[in-house]
Amino acid sequence: MSFEYTPPKYAQLIAELERRIDSGEYPAGSLLPSEHTLMAEFGMARPTVVKALGVLRDQGWIVTHQGKGRFVRGRPAIPTSRQPRTGRGLLDRAETQVASKVLAAGSVEAPNRVATYLGVEPATPVICRKILIERDGEPNEISSTWVTAEVGEGTALAEDADLRQGVRRYVESAADVSLDHIIEHVTARNPAPGERELLNVEISAALLSVHAVACDATGKPWVVVETVLPGDRHELEDAYPIR
């Protein structure tokens, strides 16, 4: 039995607008058609068009000028090694830089997956910090950070106040260690208890889960950061040389 996959409408619109920008039909610096024009041309509702335009903006294809409209920037440059990858972005992001709400901060029993990543026994007490991140007033991401109790107790990681620096700085300071590399694990799954309400998704929704395990130069893991993303609102992309 064969199945034919049809991308969601907003993804179809993204692909078509990217094609038009790439082909020069919408040259760099030109004004992008208005929301109403795109709604009429593609027969899509405004939320669908707005979602597609938001993705194009986040990926660097277009830029918004308040009161003037959306303008074409062109195809985004391929990321260089100096630009942050997903895991490094999670470790370096300060909570004060985003619209976030601390959901929990303190000691918990390590889930099996996290225990494996940290190199401890399952149910070992660890420090967990969980925040909800919003974008444009809508829930966009759940981010959780786990460190061993020895590293996290008595630090800002276990407190309710927003972090003014990225998790990486707190861990390196508390453990007197230099983090050297990150191992990422990406999986897709349905919402766990509580995530459906927090992210405003259906019980059958597909979520992307990215675990970033930060290690020192010897390979010893020091911190695990997980971000949970609604699959219909995010796209993970990477670029790297093949030589």
Side-chain angles (χ1 to χ4, degrees), residues 9 20 36 61 68 110-111 144 149 171 192 223 236:
K9 288 185 177 180
R20 294 183 182 185
H36 291 292
W61 290 84
K68 295 182 179 180
S144 302
V171 172
V223 56
L236 299 181

Side-chain angles (χ1 to χ4, degrees), residues 7 20 41 65 82 104 123 161 166 237:
R20 294 183 182 185
E41 179 181 354
H65 293 303
R82 291 176 295 177
E237 181 180 359

Side-chain angles (χ1 to χ4, degrees), residues 82-102:
R82 291 176 295 177
Q83 292 177 302
R85 296 275 177 83
T86 302
R88 182 171 178 179
L90 295 174
L91 286 173
D92 288 343
R93 178 177 60 191
E95 294 172 5
T96 53
Q97 296 175 334
V98 294
S100 63
K101 174 184 178 183
V102 179

